[in-house]
Amino acid sequence: GVAVGALTSDIDSARGAIVPTLVPLLIFSGYLIPFGQIPAFFKWAYYASFFQYSFGILSINELEGRNFTQDCPLELAEEAAYDLIHAAMPGVPLPPLPNVT
């Protein structure tokens, strides 16, 4: 960001230059495309992306030491999603929940 700002003459050209710089770093960070699905000739972008290091640190911070031993029932997840959508957008009609037995 600082290098792009130093190389450009005004804020509009800096904005235009930073987007093509950051988007590939975000795409190949492992968040949008998992590491295993990144083509071999783009693996360097994964390691060059500061986003992947940030996501890794956040994952360790949030998930280290937690054990997930039980599966979340599908019905519970669907009900929670419907409740969140209805709370955020009460006027939006939602289709009925499927009856899963």
Side-chain angles (χ1 to χ4, degrees):
V2 175
V4 171
L7 295 173
T8 57
S9 60
D10 62 352
I11 189 72
D12 291 328
S13 59
R15 249 185 261 139
I18 200 72
V19 170
T21 306
L22 290 180
V23 169
L25 294 177
L26 183 60
I27 289 173
F28 295 112
S29 67
Y31 184 71
L32 296 174
I33 302 174
F35 179 75
Q37 294 179 0
I38 296 174
F41 49 88
F42 284 125
K43 296 282 186 184
W44 64 268
Y46 173 81
Y47 293 109
S49 174
F50 58 85
F51 288 115
Q52 72 95 357
Y53 296 105
S54 302
F55 292 143
I57 291 169
L58 287 173
S59 297
I60 290 170
N61 184 51
E62 291 298 318
L63 303 174
E64 184 179 32
R66 294 186 182 195
N67 294 324
F68 298 98
T69 57
Q70 294 180 346
D71 293 331
C72 179
L74 179 62
E75 298 84 13
L76 181 64
E78 287 177 342
E79 288 176 17
Y82 269 59
D83 291 343
L84 284 172
I85 293 170
H86 183 69
M89 301 176 284
V92 174
L94 297 174
L97 278 170
N99 291 331
V100 179
T101 56

